C-alpha cells in the first residue's frame, strides 16, 4: 500500500510536491486543500481539490499532510491546526521563530499522537544538516554559509515597494574571492560586504527619477546598505524574458583542524545549484514525508526537525539494500 | 560525567582518535589496547596501554570502544569479539563485505545488548550519507563519486611489489573536464578512464630498468590498466621530502531533474579536501562514538551504520540548542 499524501496550499511549493510525488512510486497524492475557492483551482495531475476546512474529515484517508503555505502568515496557524489530525511536514523558514513554532507543533502532535517535521527544505533543511555534521566531525573549526547565485524574493519585494518601481528582480551572489579564501582552508573572518554582492534588475515607471530609485535601493537598511549593490534599469519585457526563473543555491562550509597541534586542515563543502528554488524545497519535503510516515508507524510522535531524522528513513529502499549499494 | 572511550589499535587511526578526543570536552580517553607488547607503545597523551586480551576485564570502565585496526585482517574478528563487552565503532571499508560484517557484528550486539556502528569514516561514511540524501531528495537523477586528489595506499603498495622498486607513492586525481561536465548538470556517462588519472612517484633501485618498471605499472590490471597513468622516477630523498603526507578527499554528486517534464535541473555536490586521510576518519569515528553512547542509553542495541543515525546524535549540544543555532 502506498503512503497517502495530502497537500495543503497549491502555490509553487504545492505544485512542486505534486510533481515530486510522480517520481516516488511508494507514495500517492490523494487530495489538495486550498483556502481559495476549489472550483477555481485545477491540479496538473487531476487530483481533487477541497476547501481547507474539509481536511479534518479526511483524516483517515491521508497518512501525511505536506503544508505548502508561507512562513509569515500560513504555517504558524496551519501546521499546529492540521497536526491535530495528520502527520505533518512543513518548510517553516523564519529562522528566529523556529523554537516557538516547534513548541506549538510539538504540543499539537503530543495531544493527537501524530508526528510533525518542521523547517524542511534546504535552508533551513539540508544546509542545517550539513552544519550539524560539520561541527560534530570537526569541532575545532569554523562554519561559512554562502547563498546564491539566486533570486531573493524578499529583496525583490523590497525594491518593488519603492515609489516609481513597477517591477524588480534581485540576485544574491557570493563573492568569488571570499569563496576561494574559505576553500583554501585559511579560515578567514569575513564581513557581510565581503561575502555577497547584490544585483538588481528594475523596471521604472515612465518619468520616474532613476537616480533617486537607485539611491533608495543601495542605501536601504538591512536589505542593501551593508552590501555592494548594482542596479540595472531594464524594460518589463526584458525582465519577463531574462529573469522569470527562480534559481537559487549556495554553499555550507566547515573548515577545521586536527592533529596534536592542529597541523592538519580539512575543508567540507556542501553546494547546491538549483534551477528552481521551490521545486527543490518540494523534493526535500516529499522525502521527509516518507520519514514521517515510517516514524509514525514505529509509534513515534511529537515534533521533529531534519536533525532528528536518520537518513535511511528518507530513502525508499530497505536498510539492507542501502547497506549493499550506498556504503 | 564524560563518555569513557577505549581505543583498540594504536596506528595512524588510533592516534587520530586520541587527538580528536582532545577537542571533545564531553568525552575522555580511558585506555588504549594493542596486540603489540604494551611496554613498547607510548601514547602521546600518556593514557595507559594494555594488551588487547585484557579489554574484556575493563568492560565496566569503558562506554564505547573505537576500533582502529585494518579492514583486511583486524576488524572482521575484532569488532564482533569486542561487541560482546562494549558498544563498538569501526571504519570497516571493504565495501563488498559490509553486509557480511554487519551480520557478524549485529549477532554479537544482540547477544550482549550492546550497540555497534560499522563502516564509519568518509567512504564508506560521509560519502554514503550524501548518496542516500541525494537519491532520496532527487529520485530522478544520477550519482557520481570522484576521489582525490589523494594518496591511495593500496596502489602505492602495488607499485612497491614490482621488482626493482624501492619505494612509491600513488596519487588518484579527478579529471577536471569530467568534474565540469557533472557540475554543469548534463548527467554524462563517464568511463573509468574519463573520471580519474593516476600519478606515480617511484624510487627505483640502482641499475633497475626504468622503462620496464613503467610498463609494469601502466599495464597492471585492476590497478592501472584502465587509467591514464603517469610515472615519475625520483630519489628516496625527494619522495620523503615532497610526498610524506597522506592527503585525500573527493566529491559525491547527485544531479537530478524536477518539474512536470523534468525541465529543472539541480546539482548537489559534497566535497572533502583533507590534509590527513586517517585523521579525518578518526574525527568521524569519534563523533559517531557519541551517538553510540546516546543510543545505548536509550536502550537501542544491535548493529547500525551511518545511515541509521540521526545527525543530532553526533553533536555535543542539546536538540534545543541545535534548533536555535543550526536550523
Amino acid at each position: 500500500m502506498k503512503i497517502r499524501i495530502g497537500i495543503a496550499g497549491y502555490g509553487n511549493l504545492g505544485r512542486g510536491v505534486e510533481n515530486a510525488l510522480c517520481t516516488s512510486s511508494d507514495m500517492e497524492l490523494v487530495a489538495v486543500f486550498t483556502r481559495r475557492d476549489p472550483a477555481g483551482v485545477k491540479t496538473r495531475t487531476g487530483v481533487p481539490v477541497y476547501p481547507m476546512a474539509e481536511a479534518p474529515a479526511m483524516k483517515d484517508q491521508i497518512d501525511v499532510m505536506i503544508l505548502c503555505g508561507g512562513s509569515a502568515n500560513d504555517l504558524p496557524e496551519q501546521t499546529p491546526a492540521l497536526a491535530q489530525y495528520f502527520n505533518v511536514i512543513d518548510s517553516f523558514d523564519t529562522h528566529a521563530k523556529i523554537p516557538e513554532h516547534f513548541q506549538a507543533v510539538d504540543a499539537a502532535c503530543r495531544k493527537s499522537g501524530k508526528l510533525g517535521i518542521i523547517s524542511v527544505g534546504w535552508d533551513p533543511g539540508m544546509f542545517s544538516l550539513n552544519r550539524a555534521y560539520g561541527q560534530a566531525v570537526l569541532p575545532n573549526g569554523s562554519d561559512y554559509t554562502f547563498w546564491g547565485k539566486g533570486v531573493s524574493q524578499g529583496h525583490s519585494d523590497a525594491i518593488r515597494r519603492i515609489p516609481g518601481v513597477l517591477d524588480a528582480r534581485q540576485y544574491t551572489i557570493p563573492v568569488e574571492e571570499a569563496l576561494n579564501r574559505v576553500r583554501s582552508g585559511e579560515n578567514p573572518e569575513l564581513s557581510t560586504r565581503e561575502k555577497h554582492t547584490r544585483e538588481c534588475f528594475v523596471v521604472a515607471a515612465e518619468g520616474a527619477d532613476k537616480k533617486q530609485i537607485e539611491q533608495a535601493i543601495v542605501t536601504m537598511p538591512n536589505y542593501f546598505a551593508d552590501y555592494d549593490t548594482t542596479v540595472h534599469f531594464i524594460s518589463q519585457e526584458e525582465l519577463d524574458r531574462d529573469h522569470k526563473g527562480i534559481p537559487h543555491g549556495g554553499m555550507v562550509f566547515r573548515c577545521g583542524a586536527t592533529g596534536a597541534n592542529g597541523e592538519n586542515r580539512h575543508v567540507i563543502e556542501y553546494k547546491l545549484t538549483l534551477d528552481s528554488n521551490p521545486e527543490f524545497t518540494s523534493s526535500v519535503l516529499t522525502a521527509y514525508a516518507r520519514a514521517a510516515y515510517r516514524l509514525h508507524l514505529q509509534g513515534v510522535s511529537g515534533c521533529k526537525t531534519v536533525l532528528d531524522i536518520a537518513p535511511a528513513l528518507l530513502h525508499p529502499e530497505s536498510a539492507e539494500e542501502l547497506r549493499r549499494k550506498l556504503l
Side-chain angles (χ1 to χ4, degrees), chain A:
Chain A
M1 201 171 97
K2 296 191 178 192
I3 306 171
R4 300 166 302 170
I5 302 289
I7 291 174
Y10 196 65
N12 280 337
L13 267 190
R15 282 190 293 269
V17 170
E18 183 184 22
N19 288 333
L21 288 168
C22 295
T23 56
S24 305
S25 58
D26 59 336
M27 300 199 245
E28 62 177 335
L29 180 58
V30 171
V32 167
F33 300 92
T34 179
R35 288 185 309 177
R36 291 178 273 169
D37 176 3
V41 179
K42 188 156 169 35
T43 57
R44 187 182 69 77
T45 57
V47 164
V49 182
Y50 302 100
M52 194 73 83
E54 289 181 20
M58 289 182 70
K59 71 186 176 62
D60 296 329
Q61 285 138 270
I62 290 170
D63 297 311
V64 184
M65 185 72 86
I66 304 182
L67 284 89
C68 297
S71 295
N73 302 310
D74 303 328
L75 301 176
E77 302 260 312
Q78 288 176 1
T79 312
L82 289 168
Q84 297 177 271
Y85 311 101
F86 303 98
N87 299 308
V88 291
I89 307 283
D90 78 21
S91 62
F92 185 79
D93 67 358
T94 311
H95 293 264
K97 293 190 177 168
I98 286 173
E100 187 184 324
H101 186 56
F102 182 91
Q103 292 301 338
V105 177
D106 195 50
C109 286
R110 294 206 177 274
K111 216 178 269 181
S112 64
K114 298 292 183 182
L115 186 93
I117 311 178
I118 62 160
S119 302
V120 174
W122 60 275
D123 194 6
M126 304 309 292
F127 274 17
S128 321
L129 286 180
N130 278 280
R131 291 183 195 113
Y133 280 121
Q135 291 182 6
V137 168
L138 295 173
N140 179 20
S142 307
D143 285 337
Y144 299 90
T145 300
F146 290 85
W147 294 274
K149 180 181 175 174
V151 171
S152 164
Q153 213 55 60
H155 286 75
S156 302
D157 292 345
I159 299 172
R160 277 191 285 264
R161 286 192 293 266
I162 296 170
V165 171
L166 297 179
D167 203 351
R169 187 57 56 109
Q170 194 268 179
Y171 295 93
T172 303
I173 304 168
V175 175
E176 203 60 40
E177 197 208 323
L179 289 179
N180 290 339
R181 291 178 64 194
V182 171
R183 286 190 180 120
S184 78
E186 69 167 276
N187 277 26
E189 289 214 18
L190 295 167
S191 67
T192 298
R193 192 177 297 274
E194 285 173 311
K195 287 181 71 185
H196 297 92
T197 56
R198 297 195 179 277
E199 190 170 19
C200 314
F201 294 86
V202 180
V203 182
E206 222 181 292
D209 183 339
K210 290 181 179 174
K211 266 271 153 273
Q212 202 175 314
I213 291 172
E214 182 171 347
Q215 269 306 304
I217 294 172
V218 302
T219 60
M220 195 186 294
N222 302 319
Y223 286 88
F224 293 99
D226 297 335
Y227 298 85
D228 290 335
T229 301
T230 319
V231 179
H232 308 278
F233 288 95
I234 61 176
S235 68
Q236 184 72 54
E237 196 179 21
E238 287 170 310
L239 191 85
D240 294 342
R241 185 190 65 205
D242 302 334
H243 303 284
K244 74 172 175 12
I246 26 185
H248 218 314
M251 289 139 269
V252 170
F253 291 90
R254 181 70 181 179
C255 307
T258 65
N261 304 297
E263 65 274 23
N264 288 312
R265 291 185 299 184
H266 310 280
V267 178
I268 306 173
E269 175 176 354
Y270 180 80
K271 181 178 181 182
L272 295 177
T273 311
L274 312 174
D275 269 1
S276 164
N277 182 352
E279 277 185 11
F280 187 78
T281 300
S282 300
S283 299
V284 182
L285 284 166
T286 303
Y288 278 89
R290 180 181 290 118
Y293 174 75
R294 291 172 168 178
L295 279 174
H296 184 249
L297 273 192
Q298 290 171 21
V300 180
S301 63
C303 189
K304 306 282 174 190
T305 76
V306 296
L307 301 173
D308 306 307
I309 308 296
L313 289 168
L314 306 176
H315 200 292
E317 297 192 75
S318 71
E320 198 174 345
E321 284 293 283
L322 295 182
R323 283 196 295 276
R324 202 168 58 75
K325 294 179 187 171
L326 300 186
L327 280 176

